[in-house]
Amino acid sequence: MRLPLALMVSWTACAPAREGPPNILLVSLDTFRADRVGALGNPDGLTPNLDHFAAESVVFTQAYSQATITTPSHTSLFTSRYPPESAGSTRAANIPADMYTLPQVLGAYGYQTAARVAGADLAPEIGPTKGFDSYVSAVDFGSLYHTVPLALEWLDASDPSRPFFLFVHSYDTHAAYLKPAPFGLVHAEALPVAPREREILRSTHHVMDGRMHPSVELLDIVTQKYLRPRSPAARAALAELGDAVQPPLAPVSADQEALVHDVYDGAVSYADAWFGTFMARLAQRGRLDDTVIVVLADHGEQLGENGLYHRCCSLGDEVSHVPLLVRLPGAEGGGRRVDGLVELVDVLPTLLALVGAEPPAGIRGSSLVPALEGAPFPGRDVAITLGGKGFRMASARSAAGRLTYMGVQSTEPALNDLLATAQLPGPAFEASPGLPIEAQEALRGELVAWESTLHLPVTDAAIETPPALREQLKARGYWDAE
């Protein structure tokens, strides 16, 4: 059962206050699953504010992220390049000097550029700061509760005669999920939450195949030793390792798994309420109707699918399918739905086209302006997503299904030959259930074509993650952080 949480924030747009190109606001809801949004089909009433926003926006129902890790995903967003091109094989933003970013281009066209982020994977030390006049991090793994006030403070101090590009980010739906009352447990069936359940909520990255393993190192053994960490052999090995632990590992019960879902949904509602508050504050300032507002997620989250949590070992829709909502000034085209496949790399050329700016050479995205204007829009044939340590997983998603390659990292010269010649079906590939072999071969061809066009950086010098931040990331489940 889902309890109603009617915290719809009312906002009314005011008339535009400034002549010239529109402002741009980009809101990233980290780890926010597309299937939790009412406007994308969720029936549980979790997102009244996002649904209201969607009614005034163009909704892209089949948008896919390019990476299942926060920093590379946002780096792709701001460069319109795939992760191996924009970040090499590192998890930090390692943008080459000759690669231009969205805030850089907008700055050249007179925009004020600012970012207010929630630390951790987007901390200034490792985040995609290139091109921002002002890049400020709130508390690590923070909320819109932390970043919205900072964003409004910057906005109030900005030059009203010049357009702005403002990026606002939060980890509201990131593990460990539990948010302040009344949101945290509003959807939970059983109260209070016992210590064991709190431990599971804090450590979903330790849960695999119905048991919570005592250390991320145990999962490391499986994910690094086996080409396909979800193969029968890998799962049997994990079970054997778990059986050898003393005392024996306790199973994660169906009720405990349901609690994870319920608390995640509470985090969704919490993020939604703060998003509605943000929109209301912008309306009070007369900023809604002179601003293009884009709302998206950098990736989703596994909540028990195929025995998995967090973002380990899979590139399925639960981690790659993301919300993408675009509200034009005056809510033009509000309520329009676009069902063609799109990627987050398409955001940069779209925003630049909307303000009359030329995109940088070599970008991978395509402008979505025709779709925003209501023109026929077939979308892409496939969407590409990468994940895993060093991007050792790459998938192609079409309307028919998904094919994922697991093996060497995407910066290796041998990858193209391996993609083209590895046995299919075989140990290096994982396909959507029931996907015909002909469709699998077609998706293999798409992966080969994609990899052959990658423009890899000449150097791949890693940005050193500060030791304290590295340990905090590992504690949050990033066992492949380095």
Side-chain angles (χ1 to χ4, degrees):
M1 182 181 70
R2 283 288 183 263
L3 301 177
L5 190 62
L7 288 178
M8 171 70 191
V9 180
S10 176
W11 70 80
T12 302
C14 301
R18 183 186 50 78
E19 298 292 335
N23 304 306
I24 299 173
L25 170 64
L26 179 56
V27 179
S28 175
L29 305 174
D30 206 291
T31 324
F32 200 111
R33 289 176 58 131
D35 65 2
R36 276 0 192 216
V37 181
L40 293 173
N42 188 285
D44 294 330
L46 304 176
T47 57
N49 293 290
L50 281 168
D51 297 343
H52 176 59
F53 182 83
E56 297 183 348
S57 304
V58 179
V59 178
F60 292 88
T61 66
Q62 295 297 319
Y64 289 86
S65 169
Q66 273 52 80
T68 59
I69 303 171
T70 295
T71 318
S73 179
H74 285 94
T75 304
S76 285
L77 175 70
F78 289 139
T79 61
S80 191
R81 303 289 190 99
Y82 291 107
E85 300 174 307
S86 58
S89 61
T90 69
R91 77 172 295 111
N94 193 27
I95 303 171
D98 61 351
M99 186 176 293
Y100 293 95
T101 66
L102 176 61
Q104 269 186 301
V105 176
L106 290 172
Y109 279 81
Y111 275 74
Q112 307 165 86
T113 61
R116 296 297 181 263
V117 302
D121 263 355
L122 291 188
E125 298 87 352
I126 62 173
T129 61
K130 189 176 180 182
F132 283 105
D133 301 328
S134 173
Y135 190 103
V136 175
S137 177
V139 59
D140 282 340
F141 292 105
S143 160
L144 288 177
Y145 168 85
H146 301 100
T147 56
V148 164
L150 294 177
L152 294 172
E153 180 182 8
W154 177 86
L155 186 61
D156 290 342
S158 65
D159 182 350
S161 69
R162 295 174 56 202
F164 65 78
F165 169 59
L166 177 58
F167 170 56
V168 181
H169 165 261
S170 84
Y171 287 106
D172 283 302
T173 50
H174 191 283
Y177 314 133
L178 190 61
K179 293 298 175 285
F183 295 93
L185 299 174
V186 70
H187 303 302
E189 295 286 346
L191 296 174
V193 177
R196 166 68 173 171
E197 281 67 40
R198 289 186 179 274
E199 182 184 9
I200 291 169
L201 288 171
R202 286 193 300 267
S203 305
T204 52
H205 55 282
H206 290 244
V207 177
M208 187 178 284
D209 289 344
R211 293 198 290 186
M212 190 171 78
H213 298 273
S215 69
V216 292
E217 287 75 17
L218 186 63
L219 299 180
D220 254 340
I221 293 170
V222 174
T223 58
Q224 293 180 12
K225 181 177 179 181
Y226 291 89
L227 186 63
R228 282 177 54 193
R230 305 309 292 151
S231 67
R235 299 178 88 155
L238 181 65
E240 183 178 352
L241 288 168
D243 290 341
V245 172
Q246 295 298 325
L249 298 179
V252 177
S253 70
D255 286 345
Q256 289 165 339
E257 290 185 344
L259 178 66
V260 174
H261 281 252
D262 294 342
V263 173
Y264 179 86
D265 288 352
V268 166
S269 294
Y270 184 74
D272 179 78
W274 265 103
F275 173 76
T277 299
F278 191 16
M279 293 302 102
R281 298 295 181 265
L282 291 176
Q284 290 171 359
R285 288 161 170 79
R287 291 295 196 174
L288 282 185
D289 276 349
D290 61 0
T291 303
V292 175
I293 304 175
V294 179
V295 180
L296 52 80
D298 60 335
H299 53 70
E301 181 85 323
Q302 292 166 149
L303 294 173
E305 291 84 3
N306 198 28
L308 296 169
Y309 288 82
H310 213 252
R311 289 169 297 287
C312 169
C313 315
S314 173
L315 296 178
D317 279 9
E318 55 274 5
V319 294
S320 61
H321 183 207
V322 294
L324 177 58
L325 316 174
V326 181
R327 187 187 189 278
L328 297 173
E332 180 181 350
R336 182 178 297 134
R337 298 173 67 85
V338 179
D339 296 327
L341 284 173
V342 301
E343 296 180 336
L344 291 188
V345 291
D346 298 328
V347 171
L348 179 150
T350 302
L351 292 176
L352 294 182
L354 285 172
V355 305
E358 288 294 322
I363 65 169
R364 302 310 220 102
S366 300
S367 172
L368 305 178
V369 169
L372 294 175
E373 295 176 343
F377 184 79
R380 294 173 173 266
D381 293 331
V382 298
I384 302 293
T385 303
L386 292 96
K389 185 175 183 178
F391 306 122
R392 287 188 173 92
M393 297 188 295
S395 78
R397 172 73 156 90
S398 70
R402 181 186 301 275
L403 181 71
T404 300
Y405 172 81
M406 303 178 182
V408 302
Q409 62 190 36
S410 298
T411 53
E412 289 291 335
L415 177 59
N416 196 269
D417 286 342
L418 289 170
L419 285 172
T421 61
Q423 180 182 347
L424 184 67
F429 289 100
E430 185 173 270
S432 299
L435 188 67
I437 188 64
E438 297 82 3
Q440 295 184 40
E441 286 289 2
L443 289 173
R444 180 221 288 268
E446 296 285 357
L447 283 170
V448 170
W450 165 79
E451 198 280 335
S452 67
T453 64
L454 286 178
H455 302 289
L456 299 179
V458 175
T459 61
D460 187 16
I463 297 174
E464 180 65 24
T465 305
L469 180 57
R470 181 168 62 247
E471 291 306 311
Q472 185 179 30
L473 291 170
K474 286 184 177 180
R476 287 290 190 125
Y478 295 100
W479 54 86
D480 61 350
E482 301 295 339

